Amino acid sequence: MDAPTSVFVSYSPSMNISTSLSHGYTGISIANGSILAHGSILAAVAQRSRQFFEFLDALTPGEITLLESHERLLDDPTFLIHRNCDSPIDFGKPLAIWKCSLLNDTMENFLKNWTFHNDERYGRLLFPVFLLIACKSSEPTETAADDDQRELKSKVTIDIKVGKKVNDILLELAKQSINDRPAKGSAIEMFSTPFGNPFFADTITRGIIGNLLGTNNCLMLIDATVLPGCEGGPVYLIGERARKTLCGMAIASFCRCRGERVDYTLAVNLLPSLNEILQTRVTRNKSFCLTPIVLPFTRPTANRNETIVNESSSPFHRLGTLEQSVAIVSCGLNWGTGILLDQETGTFITCAHVVARAPECKIELASYVASRNARPAWTAPAKLIYKTPDNRPYDVAVLRADFNCKQTSMKPIKLADSPAVNGEPVLSIGFPFCSTGRATISNGIISKTSKYMLQTNCCAQSGVSGGPIVRPFSLEMLGMIVCNTVSTNDSTLYTRLCMAIPSSTLKGPLNDYLRTADPNTLKNLTRYDHDIEANWNLRRPFIRSNI
């Protein structure tokens, strides 16, 4: 089987190549010239045809449906497949369609507050849907006889052959995906077609896996920059000696969580998704089924919500240690990230705005380190020791856990001795999207430094406030994330330009407090300097900006 590659795929109900190539999506070329595509490519058909919309809506999660008997729903559909600039355009027909039950469960549970694409109705409908397209030359050539009985027998024979073909293709793809397992922190590379325009075909983007989420870890959060039209693009793990292994497919390039734009790309983790579909039946009009095939190289989990992350395969092999230094901080409806500074006293720091409603609302800490289910490893109430006044630099709060952190796997973070340098690589970690579950990471660089502020291009969604910016290999903390940039009218939040307080600013007052246990020493965290305020208000008096 040839290595899976990226292709450009467009839907053509009219066979007009010039118009059909004007917009499309990315697909993955797999066995025998077949194409694995995401359901996004069917959005235009679902919008145009109420009958096809109802067909998609009625798909049973976890079952493959052969499409030969449903061609009328697609207006005799033809897909145009553009492999590269030098190859002729291939024509393909839809062979099979299915709705991934793992993604469907994840969407209904974990992604309740998420919206996809510009049209929520079709975005959520197509999010767990996949399509297998066969080039015409690779389709079965059998035809039914005129006699009704012979025709029926022929159709059953064709169904069996097509079903076996689909099964074999997906099984071979699953076997390739077993070579390396995706893990948090794994380096990845994507090939895709931004904006669905073939001019941009095979555009490369790189990043890391920030987290694995959902039922059986079926969903990957990737911090690579991806644009609309990239849905269906292959995601490769980058291993030793630059070896690439297909591990996933991009399924959402643009989405929002509780109204906030998400800068992570959502990708399906192919191995659990393929394993799940290969263990179910293939249907044609709900009447045909194949013998289930269980992949011998996969192990089903006892709990469908179990989270298993193999950190040993991560290039950042100490990420487990970094996770042990952060906890979720909840205060009323707010939550953010807390950093353990001292294990002996249970001292944490976070942002003041995270605990703005204290002491009226209780503060609680929670850790999900090494958690294999939806329950925290531990929770504990926390006492507010100090927080800087509202709207004053620096936005810092110091907490003390009513809990013996020495009895947990928590480890204090080390503040960096040397300052951050422009352009140096960094990692961020925190708890975006929800106030439960394991921490999510992002990589980036220090994009600008000053005495009073660090700027980075890590993904910093809501919930990451109070999280650390660290050096990737030493895990020394360079700063604490406070905020993102926001447009003047508050209409747009730019999650790829975040501001952090330098560790050098925090170090003196925090060390004084840890040495003396005197909260008054923390008053030095509140600064009234005009230059500091100008920095943190993102302005200078002589320029009016758009943020």
Side-chain angles (χ1 to χ4, degrees):
M1 178 179 175
D2 294 334
T5 58
S6 169
V7 295
F8 172 71
V9 184
S10 60
Y11 171 66
S12 173
S14 62
M15 290 293 292
N16 187 330
I17 294 179
S18 61
T19 58
S20 298
L21 280 181
S22 62
H23 184 73
Y25 287 89
T26 312
I28 305 176
S29 178
I30 50 179
N32 300 321
S34 302
I35 306 298
L36 181 64
H38 184 245
S40 302
I41 199 170
L42 299 171
V45 190
Q47 290 172 347
R48 186 171 59 250
S49 170
R50 175 68 184 177
Q51 188 180 12
F52 186 66
F53 176 87
E54 292 173 351
F55 166 76
L56 289 173
D57 194 42
L59 287 175
T60 301
E63 289 187 353
I64 298 179
T65 299
L66 305 182
L67 285 172
E68 180 183 328
S69 60
H70 298 284
E71 282 192 347
R72 292 180 181 178
L73 288 173
L74 292 167
D75 300 325
D76 189 24
T78 297
F79 291 93
L80 305 180
I81 302 161
H82 197 111
R83 299 182 185 277
N84 56 59
C85 296
D86 300 322
S87 299
I89 295 173
D90 292 331
F91 297 92
K93 290 284 189 179
L95 189 63
I97 192 169
W98 68 93
K99 183 183 290 185
C100 175
S101 64
L102 304 182
L103 285 175
N104 198 63
D105 290 346
T106 300
M107 182 179 65
E108 292 179 358
N109 296 307
F110 178 79
L111 304 177
K112 283 182 179 179
N113 298 317
W114 292 54
T115 57
F116 306 97
H117 308 288
N118 295 322
D119 192 319
E120 168 62 5
R121 186 183 187 192
Y122 300 104
R124 293 188 74 84
L125 173 71
L126 297 171
F127 181 79
V129 173
F130 296 89
L131 185 68
L132 191 63
I133 301 169
C135 292
K136 286 187 175 182
S137 59
S138 64
E139 291 186 70
T141 58
E142 291 88 341
T143 58
D146 293 334
D147 180 76
D148 290 343
Q149 185 175 4
R150 188 177 177 188
E151 180 179 358
L152 178 61
K153 289 182 180 179
S154 180
K155 283 186 176 292
V156 171
T157 302
I158 293 173
D159 281 347
I160 293 174
K161 184 169 183 177
V162 173
K164 185 177 185 305
K165 175 185 176 66
V166 170
N167 208 79
D168 290 346
I169 291 172
L170 297 182
L171 184 60
E172 283 301 315
L173 186 60
K175 287 179 179 178
Q176 287 207 2
S177 301
I178 194 63
N179 293 332
D180 289 299
R181 300 291 186 95
K184 188 185 296 185
S186 296
I188 60 94
E189 183 175 84
M190 273 191 60
F191 288 79
S192 58
T193 308
F195 307 114
N197 188 319
F199 177 82
F200 299 110
D202 284 334
T203 295
I204 301 175
T205 184
R206 294 189 177 99
I208 63 170
I209 297 174
N211 215 338
L212 289 99
L213 306 171
T215 307
N216 286 4
N217 285 341
C218 67
L219 191 67
M220 300 188 294
L221 290 181
I222 296 171
D223 70 354
T225 301
V226 176
L227 297 165
C230 297
E231 290 82 0
V235 179
Y236 300 94
L237 283 177
I238 308 299
E240 294 181 358
R241 299 179 182 178
R243 182 185 65 187
K244 294 193 296 185
T245 303
L246 180 70
C247 70
M249 169 194 279
I251 58 176
S253 61
F254 181 86
C255 47
R256 294 181 181 275
C257 177
R258 299 185 305 277
E260 177 185 337
R261 175 174 174 171
V262 175
D263 255 350
Y264 286 92
T265 296
L266 303 188
V268 62
N269 186 358
L270 278 176
L271 187 60
S273 180
L274 291 171
N275 185 46
E276 174 252 354
I277 200 64
L278 283 167
Q279 295 183 63
T280 60
R281 61 179 184 164
V282 178
T283 66
R284 178 185 184 272
N285 292 330
K286 306 297 181 185
S287 63
F288 175 78
C289 96
L290 288 177
T291 303
I293 291 181
V294 179
L295 299 183
F297 39 76
T298 58
R299 176 178 59 85
T301 58
N303 184 342
R304 296 193 74 190
N305 293 317
E306 183 177 1
T307 300
I308 298 175
V309 178
N310 178 15
E311 303 290 1
S312 63
S313 64
S314 169
F316 301 109
H317 59 281
R318 296 186 61 203
L319 282 179
T321 302
L322 180 59
E323 279 195 279
Q324 293 173 310
S325 299
V326 295
I328 295 171
V329 180
S330 301
C331 182
L333 297 177
N334 290 348
W335 84 84
T337 304
I339 305 167
L340 178 62
L341 286 182
D342 184 68
Q343 192 176 32
E344 188 77 30
T345 59
T347 301
F348 288 78
I349 58 169
T350 188
C351 289
H353 72 261
V354 171
V355 293
R357 298 188 62 186
E360 292 79 10
C361 293
K362 294 181 180 179
I363 302 172
E364 188 166 278
L365 300 171
S367 170
Y368 287 78
V369 174
S371 175
R372 290 183 178 271
N373 50 48
R375 294 185 298 274
W378 61 265
T379 61
K383 179 182 179 182
L384 178 63
I385 303 299
Y386 178 82
K387 69 175 180 179
T388 53
D390 294 343
N391 302 317
R392 287 283 188 180
Y394 296 99
D395 186 350
V396 183
V398 179
L399 313 175
R400 196 159 183 173
D402 187 13
F403 187 74
N404 187 352
C405 289
K406 296 181 71 175
Q407 296 178 355
T408 73
S409 59
M410 297 288 290
K411 294 183 179 180
I413 206 163
K414 183 181 186 302
L415 302 185
D417 293 322
S418 57
V421 178
N422 284 349
E424 77 166 291
V426 292
L427 291 174
S428 70
I429 187 168
F431 299 92
F433 313 128
C434 68
S435 56
T436 59
R438 296 185 67 178
T440 296
I441 63 170
S442 174
N443 77 151
I445 62 169
I446 297 292
S447 51
K448 185 179 178 181
T449 63
S450 73
K451 183 179 179 181
Y452 312 114
M453 178 191 290
L454 300 180
Q455 295 177 20
T456 84
N457 63 352
C458 295
C459 290
Q461 312 282 162
S462 296
V464 177
S465 296
I469 297 290
V470 303
R471 290 188 165 114
F473 297 103
S474 68
L475 301 186
E476 292 178 315
M477 176 174 148
L478 293 170
M480 183 180 75
I481 297 173
V482 172
C483 63
N484 299 114
T485 49
V486 183
S487 60
T488 304
N489 60 4
D490 292 334
S491 63
T492 306
L493 178 69
Y494 300 98
T495 55
R496 270 297 175 91
L497 183 57
C498 59
M499 312 303 174
I501 304 169
S503 293
S504 56
T505 297
L506 301 170
K507 200 168 187 178
L510 291 174
N511 284 341
D512 289 343
Y513 169 72
L514 293 174
R515 187 180 67 254
T516 65
D518 181 4
N520 290 322
T521 60
L522 297 172
K523 292 181 179 179
N524 288 327
L525 292 171
T526 301
R527 304 297 296 270
Y528 298 94
D529 186 279
H530 176 76
D531 287 338
I532 298 175
E533 290 200 18
N535 265 247
W536 280 96
N537 285 326
L538 309 183
R539 69 171 188 267
R540 289 291 183 183
F542 50 85
I543 295 178
R544 179 173 177 80
S545 69
N546 292 319
I547 58 175

